[in-house]
Amino acid sequence: MGLPGIQSSSLDTIGGTPLVRLSRVVPDGAADVLVKVEGGNPTGSYKDRMALAMIEGAERRGALRPGQRVVEFTGGSTGSSLAFVCAVKEYPLSIVTSDAFAPEKLRTMRAFGADVTVVPSDGGQITPDLFVRMREEVDRVIEREGAFWTDQFHNVDALTGYAVLGREILQQAGGDGVAVDVFCAGVGTAGMFAGVSAALRESGGPVRAVALEPTSSPMLTAGKAGPHRVEGIATGIVPPLLTPGSYDEGRAIDEAEARRLALPLARQEGIFTGTSGALNVAGALHLAREIGAGHIVVTVAPDTGLKYLTGDLFID
């Protein structure tokens, strides 16, 4: 976001991440696959973009007063990003999360000074009722503390933050004379997917937007939710920010296939990302095989694999 050199704030280091062409995991005869590598953001996640946009949007509207407590329920990356932004801007923060999510994320939130409430999961699985129970705890914090709820599932300021990501893709790909044919990514709040898709379509090209989800929780493709272990996506609802015009199709990707891809991505491409990033690339590879050589598929590696080292994702 800022110019090279000394930044006036660590918030100015958000964004400006690389766009990388995969070379070894893409099969012969397939379209090129470009990955926006977001692990270089300050907390190692693209959610830094959303957190800053939501807080600054609330400040501009006067919805967030100086020193007022902020609250959100989150699987971890949004919480880590909000903790970072609120620490810099001096807002107290309450995060409601769960033991279903990576412990590295919970530790990151606490490291930045957030007050963290952990709601027990059903055997470590991400289920629709888990988000209901987390939301109930948020309501208690709002009533008790008079907190400002960022409400990431409905907050349109998120689209502003993620539109910058989309414009970065256009600038980076366009510098090589590349026209994006397909954009695909997993959907959680859908802020990133909708914001990037809209920005890519502003270029005037016929970009096909494909929303991804795990086959075990096919809400978009089959109208039903289910348990899974892909953090950050498939929350059991069709998110409000995913409006009918924001995507062309939904597609379900096997979670086991995505997990098997995480190590090859790291060892063959140097792309070190979590389960949702691996699922995004798995979806991009499916689409690249379908549309064939001479075309471009773009996706996003949302975060760094450093957030998942205590789990089984990177075990042979």
Side-chain angles (χ1 to χ4, degrees), residues 38-307:
E38 287 288 292
N41 283 299
T43 74
S45 169
Y46 65 9
K47 294 295 182 72
D48 291 350
R49 300 175 184 265
M50 178 178 76
L52 182 62
M54 291 193 302
I55 294 299
E56 292 192 337
E59 288 174 333
R60 285 192 297 271
R61 292 189 303 276
L64 177 60
R65 303 183 306 274
Q68 184 179 5
R69 180 167 293 275
V70 176
V71 65
E72 184 58 274
F73 69 97
T74 164
S77 287
T78 297
S80 299
S81 297
L82 279 171
F84 157 60
V85 172
C86 287
V88 175
K89 287 180 168 287
E90 299 183 277
Y91 294 108
L93 173 67
S94 292
I95 291 294
V96 180
T97 187
S98 173
D99 58 3
F101 307 110
E104 291 92 338
K105 296 179 181 180
L106 277 62
R107 292 171 187 152
T108 299
M109 291 184 271
R110 291 188 174 108
F112 280 113
D115 176 33
V116 179
T117 299
V118 179
V119 176
S121 66
D122 181 8
Q125 295 190 103
I126 301 167
T127 55
D129 78 287
L130 176 61
F131 291 94
V132 173
R133 290 185 286 120
M134 291 164 63
R135 166 63 197 278
E136 290 171 349
E137 185 61 34
V138 165
D139 289 339
R140 285 189 278 271
V141 174
I142 294 171
E143 182 177 358
R144 184 175 66 246
E145 304 283 350
F148 169 73
W149 177 29
T150 51
D151 192 8
Q152 61 174 322
F153 280 89
H154 296 86
N155 195 321
V156 295
D157 289 326
L159 303 178
T160 301
Y162 286 128
V164 177
L165 193 160
R167 289 193 288 271
E168 287 178 13
I169 291 172
L170 284 173
Q171 182 178 14
Q172 290 165 310
D176 289 333
V178 170
V180 176
D181 296 291
V182 180
F183 172 70
C184 68
V187 170
T189 67
M192 187 281 291
F193 182 87
V196 171
S197 296
L200 293 178
R201 286 169 167 171
E202 286 173 3
S203 67
V207 180
R208 178 180 162 203
V210 180
L212 305 178
E213 61 186 359
T215 54
S216 52
S217 189
M219 179 57 71
L220 301 179
T221 55
K224 59 182 181 180
H228 64 91
R229 294 174 59 217
V230 186
E231 297 185 32
I233 67 171
T235 60
I237 63 170
V238 177
L241 295 178
L242 191 71
T243 57
S246 65
Y247 71 111
D248 297 299
E249 77 171 276
R251 182 167 296 211
I253 303 298
D254 182 66
E255 180 180 341
E257 176 188 351
R259 287 181 169 274
R260 288 193 298 271
L261 185 57
L263 275 175
L265 273 176
R267 294 176 179 178
Q268 298 178 34
E269 301 282 2
I271 304 294
F272 191 38
T273 189
T275 321
S276 62
L279 188 139
N280 284 353
V281 176
L285 293 176
H286 280 270
L287 290 159
R289 284 189 287 265
E290 289 178 16
I291 67 175
H295 297 93
I296 297 290
V297 179
V298 174
T299 192
V300 178
D303 57 7
T304 171
L306 292 171
K307 297 187 175 193

